[in-house]
Amino acid sequence: MALIGKIRNNMWAVFIIIALALLSFILMDSMGPGGGQGMNVNQAIGTVNGKKLKQMDFERTYSTLFNNASDPNVGREALWNYFVEKSIADDEAEALGMAVGRDELMDLQFGSNLSPIIYQNFANPQTGQLDVARLQQIKNQIESGEALNVQFATYWAEQEQQIKTTQIQTKLGNMVSKAYYTPNW
């Protein structure tokens, strides 16, 4: 009770403490990343295998791939894992001289050796059958040089990156599994 009485007698001190706390909070926010304008898009949100991942790149990829996601955190975690795996695979592939050429990429997108990502993105949800007509239409647009919808072009570019990363990971996995072979003799 004595403490409450002292606080009541020195009410001006309480107001000064509250004002200083509010002022320091406002100054802290204005001095932080982005200068009070939210997070800086060029700021690195993490480092993957020694390479900084910028928020702008992460958000662009997220909005392209997970535009209609019901739970945004699941998409963000999956995307972060994708960037980690991509960084590691790219470094290893570069050290070994591996790459996915244009012909190989076209085969993975439209040819007889389709990528699982194409099956996932272009399969009919009811039947599970691949929409071959839609893929052929996209292929014709790309080969003829027709202008694609900007949003779809961004989506397709992100999808190509995923296909390349998956193919490099497959090549690395095959190389490691072949290295484990030991003859019986």
Side-chain angles (χ1 to χ4, degrees):
M1 292 297 277
L3 180 62
I4 295 174
K6 284 185 179 183
I7 291 174
R8 284 185 185 159
N9 291 338
N10 297 319
M11 200 56 128
W12 57 271
V14 172
F15 288 126
I16 290 175
I17 290 172
I18 291 173
L20 286 174
L22 285 173
L23 182 65
S24 65
F25 179 75
I26 292 169
L27 286 174
M28 179 183 67
D29 187 45
S30 67
M31 300 289 183
Q37 300 173 7
M39 187 168 257
N40 186 355
V41 293
N42 289 325
Q43 178 182 359
I45 60 171
T47 304
V48 179
N49 206 21
K51 297 176 186 171
K52 291 185 179 183
L53 176 60
K54 293 183 180 178
Q55 180 178 1
M56 181 178 64
D57 298 336
F58 188 85
E59 291 298 328
R60 183 186 66 237
T61 305
Y62 176 78
S63 67
T64 301
L65 299 177
F66 298 100
N67 196 357
N68 300 323
S70 59
D71 185 9
N73 293 328
V74 172
R76 290 186 186 282
E77 183 177 339
L79 187 60
W80 178 258
N81 291 337
Y82 165 74
F83 276 111
V84 169
E85 291 168 4
K86 180 182 183 318
S87 177
I88 293 169
D90 286 349
D91 286 350
E92 290 300 319
E94 183 180 327
L96 295 170
M98 282 187 198
V100 176
R102 187 72 190 152
D103 293 336
E104 183 180 7
L105 181 61
M106 292 300 282
D107 187 44
L108 289 167
Q109 292 174 337
F110 307 111
S112 59
N113 184 23
L114 290 175
S115 169
I117 294 171
I118 295 292
Y119 279 110
Q120 176 185 347
N121 294 340
F122 290 96
N124 186 333
Q126 287 82 20
T127 63
Q129 296 293 321
L130 187 66
D131 189 358
V132 178
R134 176 79 173 125
L135 280 176
Q136 189 62 39
Q137 179 187 10
I138 293 168
K139 180 181 180 183
N140 292 340
Q141 283 180 320
I142 291 173
E143 287 178 346
S144 69
E146 280 185 49
L148 296 172
N149 177 356
V150 175
Q151 185 178 6
F152 183 76
T154 305
Y155 171 79
W156 194 262
E158 291 295 336
Q159 180 178 266
E160 281 184 347
Q161 287 301 315
Q162 282 187 334
I163 291 171
K164 286 179 182 178
T165 300
T166 303
Q167 185 65 12
I168 286 175
Q169 289 173 346
T170 302
K171 287 179 178 181
L172 288 171
N174 288 340
M175 190 175 76
V176 169
S177 68
K178 301 294 181 192
Y180 280 125
Y181 172 76
T182 54
N184 290 336
W185 47 273

